[in-house]
PDB file of all heavy atoms in Angstrom:
ATOM      1  N   MET A   1      80.769 118.630  76.094  1.00 67.00           N
ATOM      2  CA  MET A   1      79.636 118.125  76.875  1.00 67.00           C
ATOM      3  C   MET A   1      78.365 118.201  76.039  1.00 67.00           C
ATOM      4  O   MET A   1      78.119 119.203  75.352  1.00 67.00           O
ATOM      5  CB  MET A   1      79.480 118.945  78.157  1.00 67.00           C
ATOM      6  CG  MET A   1      78.382 118.441  79.088  1.00 67.00           C
ATOM      7  SD  MET A   1      78.340 119.382  80.625  1.00 67.00           S
ATOM      8  CE  MET A   1      77.002 118.560  81.452  1.00 67.00           C
ATOM      9  N   ALA A   2      77.544 117.167  76.075  1.00 72.00           N
ATOM     10  CA  ALA A   2      76.336 117.119  75.268  1.00 72.00           C
ATOM     11  C   ALA A   2      75.317 118.130  75.759  1.00 72.00           C
ATOM     12  O   ALA A   2      75.264 118.454  76.949  1.00 72.00           O
ATOM     13  CB  ALA A   2      75.737 115.711  75.330  1.00 72.00           C
ATOM     14  N   PRO A   3      74.474 118.646  74.864  1.00 78.00           N
ATOM     15  CA  PRO A   3      73.388 119.526  75.279  1.00 78.00           C
ATOM     16  C   PRO A   3      72.438 118.813  76.226  1.00 78.00           C
ATOM     17  O   PRO A   3      72.398 117.582  76.294  1.00 78.00           O
ATOM     18  CB  PRO A   3      72.700 119.887  73.962  1.00 78.00           C
ATOM     19  CG  PRO A   3      73.696 119.581  72.903  1.00 78.00           C
ATOM     20  CD  PRO A   3      74.517 118.451  73.423  1.00 78.00           C
ATOM     21  N   THR A   4      71.655 119.577  76.941  1.00 73.00           N
ATOM     22  CA  THR A   4      70.694 119.014  77.881  1.00 73.00           C
ATOM     23  C   THR A   4      69.644 118.202  77.141  1.00 73.00           C
ATOM     24  O   THR A   4      69.171 118.590  76.070  1.00 73.00           O
ATOM     25  CB  THR A   4      70.013 120.141  78.676  1.00 73.00           C
ATOM     26  OG1 THR A   4      71.006 120.898  79.351  1.00 73.00           O
ATOM     27  CG2 THR A   4      69.030 119.580  79.686  1.00 73.00           C
ATOM     28  N   GLN A  34      82.612 120.206  59.236  1.00 98.00           N
ATOM     29  CA  GLN A  34      82.433 121.140  60.348  1.00 98.00           C
ATOM     30  C   GLN A  34      81.631 122.360  59.915  1.00 98.00           C
ATOM     31  O   GLN A  34      80.754 122.837  60.655  1.00 98.00           O
ATOM     32  CB  GLN A  34      83.792 121.560  60.907  1.00 98.00           C
ATOM     33  CG  GLN A  34      84.504 120.434  61.638  1.00 98.00           C
ATOM     34  CD  GLN A  34      85.752 120.914  62.366  1.00 98.00           C
ATOM     35  OE1 GLN A  34      86.518 121.725  61.855  1.00 98.00           O
ATOM     36  NE2 GLN A  34      85.958 120.391  63.566  1.00 98.00           N
ATOM     37  N   ARG A  35      81.902 122.865  58.714  1.00 98.00           N
ATOM     38  CA  ARG A  35      81.153 124.029  58.225  1.00 98.00           C
ATOM     39  C   ARG A  35      79.692 123.664  57.979  1.00 98.00           C
ATOM     40  O   ARG A  35      78.784 124.442  58.301  1.00 98.00           O
ATOM     41  CB  ARG A  35      81.805 124.578  56.959  1.00 98.00           C
ATOM     42  CG  ARG A  35      83.120 125.290  57.223  1.00 98.00           C
ATOM     43  CD  ARG A  35      83.667 125.973  55.975  1.00 98.00           C
ATOM     44  NE  ARG A  35      84.228 125.018  55.030  1.00 98.00           N
ATOM     45  CZ  ARG A  35      83.812 124.871  53.774  1.00 98.00           C
ATOM     46  NH1 ARG A  35      82.811 125.614  53.309  1.00 98.00           N
ATOM     47  NH2 ARG A  35      84.386 123.985  52.976  1.00 98.00           N
ATOM     48  N   ALA A  37      77.986 121.167  59.449  1.00 98.00           N
ATOM     49  CA  ALA A  37      77.350 120.931  60.744  1.00 98.00           C
ATOM     50  C   ALA A  37      76.984 122.255  61.411  1.00 98.00           C
ATOM     51  O   ALA A  37      75.882 122.405  61.967  1.00 98.00           O
ATOM     52  CB  ALA A  37      78.283 120.123  61.646  1.00 98.00           C
ATOM     53  N   THR A  38      77.874 123.222  61.353  1.00 98.00           N
ATOM     54  CA  THR A  38      77.592 124.531  61.947  1.00 98.00           C
ATOM     55  C   THR A  38      76.401 125.189  61.265  1.00 98.00           C
ATOM     56  O   THR A  38      75.504 125.736  61.923  1.00 98.00           O
ATOM     57  CB  THR A  38      78.833 125.431  61.832  1.00 98.00           C
ATOM     58  OG1 THR A  38      79.909 124.818  62.560  1.00 98.00           O
ATOM     59  CG2 THR A  38      78.568 126.825  62.403  1.00 98.00           C
ATOM     60  N   HIS A  39      76.365 125.134  59.934  1.00 98.00           N
ATOM     61  CA  HIS A  39      75.234 125.701  59.186  1.00 98.00           C
ATOM     62  C   HIS A  39      73.926 125.019  59.587  1.00 98.00           C
ATOM     63  O   HIS A  39      72.904 125.701  59.797  1.00 98.00           O
ATOM     64  CB  HIS A  39      75.465 125.540  57.684  1.00 98.00           C
ATOM     65  CG  HIS A  39      74.235 125.765  56.864  1.00 98.00           C
ATOM     66  ND1 HIS A  39      73.769 127.025  56.558  1.00 98.00           N
ATOM     67  CD2 HIS A  39      73.343 124.875  56.309  1.00 98.00           C
ATOM     68  CE1 HIS A  39      72.661 126.914  55.845  1.00 98.00           C
ATOM     69  NE2 HIS A  39      72.384 125.638  55.678  1.00 98.00           N
ATOM     70  N   LEU A  40      73.923 123.704  59.695  1.00 98.00           N
ATOM     71  CA  LEU A  40      72.693 122.983  60.001  1.00 98.00           C
ATOM     72  C   LEU A  40      72.183 123.316  61.400  1.00 98.00           C
ATOM     73  O   LEU A  40      70.973 123.470  61.615  1.00 98.00           O
ATOM     74  CB  LEU A  40      72.914 121.479  59.852  1.00 98.00           C
ATOM     75  CG  LEU A  40      73.140 120.986  58.415  1.00 98.00           C
ATOM     76  CD1 LEU A  40      73.498 119.503  58.404  1.00 98.00           C
ATOM     77  CD2 LEU A  40      71.917 121.247  57.544  1.00 98.00           C
ATOM     78  N   VAL A  41      73.077 123.429  62.350  1.00 98.00           N
ATOM     79  CA  VAL A  41      72.654 123.782  63.701  1.00 98.00           C
ATOM     80  C   VAL A  41      72.170 125.235  63.740  1.00 98.00           C
ATOM     81  O   VAL A  41      71.152 125.551  64.358  1.00 98.00           O
ATOM     82  CB  VAL A  41      73.796 123.522  64.708  1.00 98.00           C
ATOM     83  CG1 VAL A  41      73.414 124.019  66.103  1.00 98.00           C
ATOM     84  CG2 VAL A  41      74.114 122.026  64.759  1.00 98.00           C
ATOM     85  N   ASP A  42      72.870 126.117  63.057  1.00 98.00           N
ATOM     86  CA  ASP A  42      72.427 127.509  62.979  1.00 98.00           C
ATOM     87  C   ASP A  42      71.046 127.621  62.331  1.00 98.00           C
ATOM     88  O   ASP A  42      70.300 128.571  62.618  1.00 98.00           O
ATOM     89  CB  ASP A  42      73.422 128.344  62.167  1.00 98.00           C
ATOM     90  CG  ASP A  42      74.738 128.578  62.878  1.00 98.00           C
ATOM     91  OD1 ASP A  42      74.805 128.352  64.111  1.00 98.00           O
ATOM     92  OD2 ASP A  42      75.714 128.983  62.210  1.00 98.00           O
ATOM     93  N   SER A  43      70.700 126.650  61.463  1.00 97.00           N
ATOM     94  CA  SER A  43      69.438 126.706  60.722  1.00 97.00           C
ATOM     95  C   SER A  43      68.256 126.134  61.500  1.00 97.00           C
ATOM     96  O   SER A  43      67.122 126.179  60.995  1.00 97.00           O
ATOM     97  CB  SER A  43      69.583 125.950  59.400  1.00 97.00           C
ATOM     98  OG  SER A  43      70.585 126.533  58.594  1.00 97.00           O
ATOM     99  N   GLY A  44      68.507 125.571  62.672  1.00 97.00           N
ATOM    100  CA  GLY A  44      67.396 125.090  63.481  1.00 97.00           C
ATOM    101  C   GLY A  44      67.477 123.656  63.949  1.00 97.00           C
ATOM    102  O   GLY A  44      66.602 123.185  64.685  1.00 97.00           O
ATOM    103  N   ASN A  45      68.502 122.928  63.547  1.00 98.00           N
ATOM    104  CA  ASN A  45      68.655 121.562  64.043  1.00 98.00           C
ATOM    105  C   ASN A  45      69.199 121.567  65.466  1.00 98.00           C
ATOM    106  O   ASN A  45      70.127 122.309  65.780  1.00 98.00           O
ATOM    107  CB  ASN A  45      69.638 120.783  63.154  1.00 98.00           C
ATOM    108  CG  ASN A  45      69.029 120.366  61.833  1.00 98.00           C
ATOM    109  OD1 ASN A  45      68.242 119.431  61.777  1.00 98.00           O
ATOM    110  ND2 ASN A  45      69.385 121.076  60.768  1.00 98.00           N
ATOM    111  N   ASP A  46      68.626 120.741  66.330  1.00 96.00           N
ATOM    112  CA  ASP A  46      69.213 120.581  67.661  1.00 96.00           C
ATOM    113  C   ASP A  46      69.895 119.229  67.815  1.00 96.00           C
ATOM    114  O   ASP A  46      70.285 118.827  68.907  1.00 96.00           O
ATOM    115  CB  ASP A  46      68.198 120.830  68.788  1.00 96.00           C
ATOM    116  CG  ASP A  46      66.866 120.165  68.574  1.00 96.00           C
ATOM    117  OD1 ASP A  46      66.823 119.131  67.898  1.00 96.00           O
ATOM    118  OD2 ASP A  46      65.877 120.690  69.083  1.00 96.00           O
ATOM    119  N   GLY A  47      70.065 118.548  66.696  1.00 98.00           N
ATOM    120  CA  GLY A  47      70.837 117.321  66.681  1.00 98.00           C
ATOM    121  C   GLY A  47      71.239 116.971  65.265  1.00 98.00           C
ATOM    122  O   GLY A  47      70.593 117.402  64.296  1.00 98.00           O
ATOM    123  N   VAL A  72      82.748 116.730  63.975  1.00 98.00           N
ATOM    124  CA  VAL A  72      81.427 117.318  64.175  1.00 98.00           C
ATOM    125  C   VAL A  72      81.205 117.663  65.647  1.00 98.00           C
ATOM    126  O   VAL A  72      80.641 118.716  65.968  1.00 98.00           O
ATOM    127  CB  VAL A  72      80.336 116.384  63.621  1.00 98.00           C
ATOM    128  CG1 VAL A  72      78.946 116.894  63.976  1.00 98.00           C
ATOM    129  CG2 VAL A  72      80.483 116.251  62.108  1.00 98.00           C
ATOM    130  N   VAL A  73      81.658 116.808  66.543  1.00 98.00           N
ATOM    131  CA  VAL A  73      81.549 117.127  67.971  1.00 98.00           C
ATOM    132  C   VAL A  73      82.344 118.388  68.291  1.00 98.00           C
ATOM    133  O   VAL A  73      81.884 119.257  69.046  1.00 98.00           O
ATOM    134  CB  VAL A  73      82.009 115.935  68.831  1.00 98.00           C
ATOM    135  CG1 VAL A  73      82.152 116.345  70.291  1.00 98.00           C
ATOM    136  CG2 VAL A  73      81.026 114.769  68.707  1.00 98.00           C
ATOM    137  N   GLU A  74      83.517 118.507  67.726  1.00 98.00           N
ATOM    138  CA  GLU A  74      84.327 119.699  67.954  1.00 98.00           C
ATOM    139  C   GLU A  74      83.614 120.956  67.460  1.00 98.00           C
ATOM    140  O   GLU A  74      83.658 122.011  68.101  1.00 98.00           O
ATOM    141  CB  GLU A  74      85.668 119.567  67.241  1.00 98.00           C
ATOM    142  CG  GLU A  74      86.598 120.767  67.416  1.00 98.00           C
ATOM    143  CD  GLU A  74      87.903 120.606  66.657  1.00 98.00           C
ATOM    144  OE1 GLU A  74      88.410 119.477  66.575  1.00 98.00           O
ATOM    145  OE2 GLU A  74      88.398 121.620  66.126  1.00 98.00           O
ATOM    146  N   ALA A  75      82.909 120.842  66.338  1.00 98.00           N
ATOM    147  CA  ALA A  75      82.261 122.008  65.738  1.00 98.00           C
ATOM    148  C   ALA A  75      80.976 122.406  66.459  1.00 98.00           C
ATOM    149  O   ALA A  75      80.732 123.605  66.671  1.00 98.00           O
ATOM    150  CB  ALA A  75      81.958 121.735  64.264  1.00 98.00           C
ATOM    151  N   VAL A  76      80.140 121.440  66.823  1.00 98.00           N
ATOM    152  CA  VAL A  76      78.801 121.789  67.331  1.00 98.00           C
ATOM    153  C   VAL A  76      78.389 121.008  68.572  1.00 98.00           C
ATOM    154  O   VAL A  76      77.253 121.145  69.032  1.00 98.00           O
ATOM    155  CB  VAL A  76      77.730 121.575  66.235  1.00 98.00           C
ATOM    156  CG1 VAL A  76      78.000 122.461  65.030  1.00 98.00           C
ATOM    157  CG2 VAL A  76      77.640 120.100  65.813  1.00 98.00           C
ATOM    158  N   GLY A  77      79.297 120.201  69.116  1.00 97.00           N
ATOM    159  CA  GLY A  77      78.908 119.310  70.201  1.00 97.00           C
ATOM    160  C   GLY A  77      78.486 119.983  71.480  1.00 97.00           C
ATOM    161  O   GLY A  77      77.847 119.354  72.327  1.00 97.00           O
ATOM    162  N   ASP A  78      78.797 121.272  71.629  1.00 97.00           N
ATOM    163  CA  ASP A  78      78.371 121.970  72.831  1.00 97.00           C
ATOM    164  C   ASP A  78      76.951 122.512  72.716  1.00 97.00           C
ATOM    165  O   ASP A  78      76.383 122.983  73.701  1.00 97.00           O
ATOM    166  CB  ASP A  78      79.331 123.124  73.148  1.00 97.00           C
ATOM    167  CG  ASP A  78      79.426 124.139  72.022  1.00 97.00           C
ATOM    168  OD1 ASP A  78      79.103 123.790  70.869  1.00 97.00           O
ATOM    169  OD2 ASP A  78      79.827 125.283  72.297  1.00 97.00           O
ATOM    170  N   ARG A  79      76.354 122.450  71.509  1.00 97.00           N
ATOM    171  CA  ARG A  79      75.004 122.997  71.336  1.00 97.00           C
ATOM    172  C   ARG A  79      74.076 122.111  70.512  1.00 97.00           C
ATOM    173  O   ARG A  79      72.948 122.507  70.228  1.00 97.00           O
ATOM    174  CB  ARG A  79      75.075 124.398  70.732  1.00 97.00           C
ATOM    175  CG  ARG A  79      75.756 124.509  69.386  1.00 97.00           C
ATOM    176  CD  ARG A  79      76.105 125.963  69.044  1.00 97.00           C
ATOM    177  NE  ARG A  79      76.677 126.086  67.723  1.00 97.00           N
ATOM    178  CZ  ARG A  79      76.021 126.547  66.662  1.00 97.00           C
ATOM    179  NH1 ARG A  79      74.754 126.929  66.779  1.00 97.00           N
ATOM    180  NH2 ARG A  79      76.605 126.637  65.498  1.00 97.00           N
ATOM    181  N   ALA A  80      74.524 120.935  70.142  1.00 98.00           N
ATOM    182  CA  ALA A  80      73.671 120.000  69.410  1.00 98.00           C
ATOM    183  C   ALA A  80      74.056 118.576  69.767  1.00 98.00           C
ATOM    184  O   ALA A  80      75.217 118.283  70.060  1.00 98.00           O
ATOM    185  CB  ALA A  80      73.795 120.212  67.901  1.00 98.00           C
ATOM    186  N   HIS A  81      73.078 117.697  69.740  1.00 98.00           N
ATOM    187  CA  HIS A  81      73.317 116.277  69.988  1.00 98.00           C
ATOM    188  C   HIS A  81      73.959 115.664  68.742  1.00 98.00           C
ATOM    189  O   HIS A  81      73.423 115.797  67.643  1.00 98.00           O
ATOM    190  CB  HIS A  81      72.003 115.556  70.289  1.00 98.00           C
ATOM    191  CG  HIS A  81      71.267 116.097  71.464  1.00 98.00           C
ATOM    192  ND1 HIS A  81      71.453 115.635  72.744  1.00 98.00           N
ATOM    193  CD2 HIS A  81      70.353 117.085  71.563  1.00 98.00           C
ATOM    194  CE1 HIS A  81      70.676 116.307  73.581  1.00 98.00           C
ATOM    195  NE2 HIS A  81      69.992 117.193  72.884  1.00 98.00           N
ATOM    196  N   VAL A  82      75.066 115.009  68.916  1.00 98.00           N
ATOM    197  CA  VAL A  82      75.743 114.348  67.801  1.00 98.00           C
ATOM    198  C   VAL A  82      75.575 112.838  67.988  1.00 98.00           C
ATOM    199  O   VAL A  82      76.164 112.234  68.889  1.00 98.00           O
ATOM    200  CB  VAL A  82      77.229 114.730  67.717  1.00 98.00           C
ATOM    201  CG1 VAL A  82      77.895 113.999  66.552  1.00 98.00           C
ATOM    202  CG2 VAL A  82      77.385 116.246  67.572  1.00 98.00           C
ATOM    203  N   HIS A 107      77.550 111.593  71.282  1.00 98.00           N
ATOM    204  CA  HIS A 107      76.574 111.705  72.372  1.00 98.00           C
ATOM    205  C   HIS A 107      75.573 110.559  72.377  1.00 98.00           C
ATOM    206  O   HIS A 107      74.891 110.341  73.381  1.00 98.00           O
ATOM    207  CB  HIS A 107      75.807 113.030  72.251  1.00 98.00           C
ATOM    208  CG  HIS A 107      76.675 114.235  72.259  1.00 98.00           C
ATOM    209  ND1 HIS A 107      76.395 115.363  71.548  1.00 98.00           N
ATOM    210  CD2 HIS A 107      77.843 114.486  72.907  1.00 98.00           C
ATOM    211  CE1 HIS A 107      77.345 116.273  71.748  1.00 98.00           C
ATOM    212  NE2 HIS A 107      78.229 115.749  72.566  1.00 98.00           N
TER     213      HIS A 107
END
Side-chain angles (χ1 to χ4, degrees):
M1 184 176 180
T4 302
Q34 290 189 319
R35 288 187 286 121
T38 299
H39 165 79
L40 291 174
V41 174
D42 289 345
S43 299
N45 284 284
D46 45 28
V72 173
V73 169
E74 180 182 324
V76 299
D78 59 338
R79 59 195 184 104
H81 301 270
V82 179
H107 302 146

